Amino acid sequence: MKPAPFAYHAPSSLAAAVDLLAQNENAKILAGGQSLVPMMNFRLAMPDHLIDLNPVTELDRLTVRTDSIEIGAMTRQRRMEFSNELRQACPIIGEALQHVGHRQTRNRGTIGGSLAHADPSAELPTVVLALDGVIEIRGPRGTRSMPMAEFALGFMTTALEPDEIMSAVTLPRWQGPHGYAFVEFARRLGDFAVAAAAVMMALDAKGTVTRVAVALAGVGPVQSRLTAVEEALRGHRIEPALIDSAAALAAEGDANEDIHASADYRRHLAQVLTARGLATAARRAQTQMKAPA
Ligand SMILES: Cc1cc2nc3c(=O)[nH]c(=O)nc-3n(C[C@@H](O)[C@H](O)[C@H](O)COP(=O)(O)OP(=O)(O)OC[C@H]3O[C@@H](n4cnc5c(N)ncnc54)[C@H](O)[C@@H]3O)c2cc1C
């Protein structure tokens, strides 16, 4: 199918893109086009104006600092996947990207597009939520930022106003030895997750969980932080029985039901994937602690 007719704009700066978005009604931002273009082809999206961010080079940046990582909204998923600096600073991102679509979609797809599209099964928003990422937003009223936990409001809905553009995401870096894991169940390689879990974990010398973050995708209408699981782990020595009892809490609560999986099956996956993610993150944290400084 072909999209409905639209006017195409190619601004060369973020400021110009914000102006165009403010001036034109029923306008849409085009990033990698991997979700928007199929939706336009099916006429599920029919913007009158398409504002292409691809010429806005200031949005394509990846800066790894000692305490944080800043990623411009137009940074391609493939660039993130291949960045040695990012792999060393925050390997969970690369692990999650292995599950994001296909090589071809990652060549075009951007981090901003994935977060703004807000698919509840998408991997990158899950990782950004687990890492307490902060979203930077530019609009005609200036720049604002908000935690990822407040950015995704519901099924494919974000806190972006219609005249705002996501410009970057900042990820605070975990300091000291820690483990990570991104685990997913999908019907086929490259498909969206039926369910997925992102886990970060730090242990002390005795194996006690000092810090932990668990985020889940694909189960509810939006990615969620499993705070009950985190609380059950924090301050306790990590061992298989603790992982099992904490992961059981992931199965509590509502779950989506659709052609891919029943609600019960999704709850089961939530528990299994959380347990696997916790075990892998704990093992990696222990290995990190033994590694020579
Ligand atoms: C075959 C196939 C398989 C896929 N599998 C997966 C998968 O397993 N997991 C997954 O997460 N994704 C998957 N995707 C989608 C993924 O490839 C996209 O990269 C992602 O969903 C959107 O990113 P994009 O840069 O292509 O954004 P676009 O498609 O260009 O835009 C998506 C939406 O975000 C808005 N938007 C984009 N950038 C901004 C911005 N900076 N500010 C405000 N709004 C913005 C657009 O207006 C649009 O509404 C798949 C796609 C295909 C075609």
Side-chain angles (χ1 to χ4, degrees), residues 34 40 87 97 108 125 174 205 220 232 254 257:
Q34 298 303 298
M40 288 172 66
R87 189 174 306 139
L97 277 164
R108 294 298 302 166
W174 281 47
D254 294 336
E257 184 141 6

Coordinates of all heavy atoms in Angstrom, one line a residue, residues 34 40 87 97 108 125 174 205 220 232 254 257:
Q34 N 11.2 3.0 10.6 CA 10.9 1.6 10.7 C 9.6 1.2 11.3 O 9.0 0.1 11.1 CB 12.1 0.9 11.5 CG 13.4 1.0 10.8 CD 13.3 0.5 9.4 OE1 13.1 -0.7 9.1 NE2 13.6 1.4 8.4
M40 N 2.2 4.4 8.0 CA 1.7 5.3 7.0 C 1.2 4.5 5.7 O 0.2 4.8 5.1 CB 2.8 6.3 6.6 CG 3.0 7.4 7.7 SD 4.4 8.5 7.3 CE 3.8 9.3 5.9
R87 N 29.7 -0.5 24.7 CA 29.7 -1.9 25.1 C 30.5 -2.1 26.4 O 30.0 -2.8 27.3 CB 30.4 -2.8 24.0 CG 30.2 -4.3 24.3 CD 30.8 -5.1 23.2 NE 30.2 -4.8 21.9 CZ 30.9 -4.7 20.8 NH1 32.2 -4.9 20.8 NH2 30.3 -4.4 19.6
L97 N 19.9 -4.9 22.2 CA 19.8 -4.6 20.8 C 19.9 -5.9 19.9 O 19.3 -5.9 18.8 CB 20.9 -3.7 20.4 CG 20.6 -2.2 20.7 CD1 21.9 -1.3 20.6 CD2 19.6 -1.7 19.7
R108 N 18.6 1.6 10.3 CA 17.8 2.8 10.2 C 17.2 3.3 11.5 O 17.1 4.5 11.7 CB 16.7 2.6 9.1 CG 17.1 2.4 7.7 CD 17.8 3.5 7.1 NE 17.1 4.8 7.1 CZ 17.7 5.9 6.9 NH1 19.0 6.0 6.6 NH2 17.0 7.0 6.9
P125 N 13.2 0.8 25.4 CA 12.6 1.5 26.5 C 12.7 0.7 27.8 O 12.8 1.3 28.9 CB 11.1 1.6 26.1 CG 11.1 1.4 24.6 CD 12.2 0.6 24.3
W174 N 26.2 2.9 36.2 CA 26.4 2.2 37.5 C 27.9 2.2 37.7 O 28.7 1.8 36.8 CB 25.9 0.8 37.3 CG 24.4 0.7 37.5 CD1 23.5 1.5 36.9 CD2 23.7 -0.3 38.3 NE1 22.2 1.1 37.3 CE2 22.3 0.0 38.2 CE3 24.0 -1.3 39.2 CZ2 21.3 -0.7 38.8 CZ3 23.1 -2.0 39.8 CH2 21.7 -1.7 39.7
A205 N 30.9 -7.8 49.0 CA 31.8 -8.9 49.0 C 31.2 -10.1 49.6 O 31.7 -11.3 49.3 CB 33.0 -8.5 49.8
G220 N 2.5 -5.8 30.4 CA 1.4 -4.8 30.6 C 1.4 -3.9 29.4 O 2.1 -4.1 28.4
A232 N 12.4 -7.2 47.4 CA 12.6 -8.5 48.0 C 14.1 -9.0 48.0 O 14.5 -9.8 48.7 CB 11.7 -9.5 47.3
D254 N -1.6 -7.6 36.6 CA -2.4 -7.7 35.4 C -1.4 -8.0 34.2 O -0.2 -7.6 34.2 CB -3.2 -6.5 35.0 CG -4.3 -6.3 36.1 OD1 -4.7 -7.3 36.7 OD2 -4.7 -5.1 36.2
E257 N -3.6 -9.8 27.1 CA -4.0 -11.1 26.4 C -4.2 -10.7 24.9 O -4.8 -9.8 24.6 CB -5.3 -11.6 27.0 CG -5.8 -12.8 26.5 CD -6.4 -13.7 27.6 OE1 -6.5 -13.3 28.7 OE2 -6.7 -14.9 27.2

